[in-house]
Amino acid sequence: KRDILDSEYADLFNQIKCDNMIIILAFPHSGAFIKYLSKPGRVIITSSSAREGYDGEFSSIFIESLS
């Protein structure tokens, strides 16, 4: 097994047919995926930049902010 490439990840999202999409990525270095996932009608929220590791508090703070 291997990690999925950012281009493969983008291909999976690009198969979803819709006009608007919100993508939330909560894993280390998730900001690196922005350039592959960016398209008109998409909002991309990441837990870290392309160079940062994961902040374990992101998910709980984000979910709490929605309630």
Side-chain angles (χ1 to χ4, degrees):
K1 296 201 180 216
R2 63 175 177 78
D3 290 339
I4 187 170
L5 300 174
D6 33 16
S7 58
E8 293 171 322
Y9 206 71
D11 288 342
L12 293 172
F13 275 98
N14 290 335
Q15 291 177 30
I16 300 169
K17 304 296 180 203
C18 63
D19 294 327
N20 298 296
M21 182 184 297
I22 298 172
I23 301 171
I24 302 166
L25 304 175
F27 51 84
H29 312 286
S30 54
F33 287 74
I34 293 172
K35 64 182 173 185
Y36 296 98
L37 297 173
S38 292
K39 278 184 143 184
R42 287 187 179 171
V43 174
I44 303 167
I45 300 169
T46 65
S47 63
S48 60
S49 73
R51 295 186 179 124
E52 292 177 307
Y54 181 67
D55 178 355
E57 294 184 31
F58 171 82
S59 296
S60 59
I61 292 170
F62 183 77
I63 291 169
E64 188 176 312
S65 72
L66 296 175
S67 54

